[in-house]
Amino acid sequence: MNVQSEEITSPRLRLLPFAKSTAHAILHRDLIGLRVAEGWPHDGTYRALTMALEHDRPLGWMITVQGTVIGDCGTKGEVDAAGMVEIGYGLAAPLWGQGYGTEAVAALTEWLLSRREVVTVRACTEIDNVASRRVLEKASFTFRGLDADGNSVSERERER
């Protein structure tokens, strides 16, 4: 599944795929002319891009509103043999609570579930991150329980 080349849109957002050159520049604290919201990139952005580049995994998308990068999202690896893929997401803190997280997660999830090989999209959040768990609920994810680390696990499956 080539998740690095397609733009994803929703009513208010454009999810723009990271180019490797952009990812490297961001990791070197060079925003290369990007217009960014206060608070982005955040620690999660740096961790996700570092892991993706180190393991040659998909880089994900920048979440933009009217040309300004407000967050990022992506998959944590490839689709497994059972058709499951895990996602991650994060927004600049000043933009929390405005529905952008839910809209981005829903758009990414719909795009993933439209892929033949994807059956289930999973997201894990820290158990005390109530806002992130609420984003998943509003994006039609179902709570499945806790993982071995005590994180909340939610999933959304393709409709049959």
Side-chain angles (χ1 to χ4, degrees), residues 2-80:
N2 183 358
V3 298
Q4 296 188 43
S5 63
E6 281 192 49
E7 180 178 313
I8 301 170
T9 59
S10 68
R12 298 184 297 168
L13 306 175
R14 288 177 63 203
L15 280 54
L16 303 174
F18 278 103
K20 276 192 177 184
S21 59
T22 303
H24 282 291
I26 290 168
L27 289 174
H28 288 96
R29 307 306 198 254
D30 176 2
L31 298 179
I32 58 169
L34 292 173
R35 195 169 70 198
V36 301
E38 180 182 335
W40 192 91
H42 45 76
D43 290 343
T45 305
Y46 295 119
R47 280 193 306 275
L49 290 176
T50 298
M51 292 296 293
L53 288 167
E54 286 178 355
H55 299 284
D56 196 31
R57 293 184 178 150
L59 295 169
W61 294 263
M62 294 178 284
I63 303 168
T64 67
V65 173
Q66 298 177 346
T68 299
V69 183
I70 64 166
D72 51 272
C73 61
T75 61
K76 295 182 175 184
E78 297 294 331
V79 180
D80 70 14

